[in-house]
Amino acid sequence: MAASVFCCLSWCRDGGAGHIPLKEMPAVHLDTQRMGTDVVIVKNGRRICGTGGCLANAPLHQNKSYFEFKIQSTGIWGIGVATQKANLNQIPLGRDVHSLVMRNDGALYYNNEEKNRLPANNLPQEGDVVISEVLNDNTNCHTQPYQNSEKNNLANKALHMTM
């Protein structure tokens, strides 16, 4: 134990030789270059209005990713992940292999198939924060929605997606 503490302290003392500084992560927001023709992006790229879809400015590089969103107002909406090949003018998304989307009725669609559904008594409502975890194994699409209020006090609803 003392050897490992000494090793750590010697690394700190010599200025961290061999240390690789982390890059500052860019702010993630909705990308006005990758949105449907009838979409309007407001609130500095943090809110979408209109009809159609929009991609974020940062791709999901990892096999396990996380994002959250807030339902600002009720209506017809969808949220999920999509590739750059997704038709952002054709709604609702989730009709092909280029998008996996949870719709306002709690149904999760991929390739025009309902893959899972939130319980009717657990649908996102206005003001809810929804957590989405995306697991990508590049072979299949499985989903498991779950309630997550104990794990994260900010979250009212949670959705687990596997692509």
Side-chain angles (χ1 to χ4, degrees), residues 90-150:
Q90 182 183 14
I91 58 169
L93 293 175
R95 293 182 180 186
D96 57 26
V97 297
H98 302 296
S99 59
L100 173 65
V101 175
M102 182 178 74
R103 298 178 183 167
N104 59 290
D105 64 356
L108 190 70
Y109 274 85
Y110 173 77
N111 202 20
N112 212 30
E113 293 179 33
E114 185 176 313
K115 295 297 185 177
N116 211 331
R117 178 177 287 276
L118 290 172
N121 64 349
N122 199 26
L123 296 179
Q125 303 296 317
E126 186 172 314
D128 280 352
V129 173
V130 181
I131 292 178
S132 294
E133 181 181 49
V134 181
L135 303 175
N136 184 1
D137 67 6
N138 294 320
T139 58
N140 52 37
C141 176
H142 300 290
T143 61
Q144 179 61 49
Y146 59 95
Q147 181 80 21
N148 196 26
S149 57
E150 292 110 27

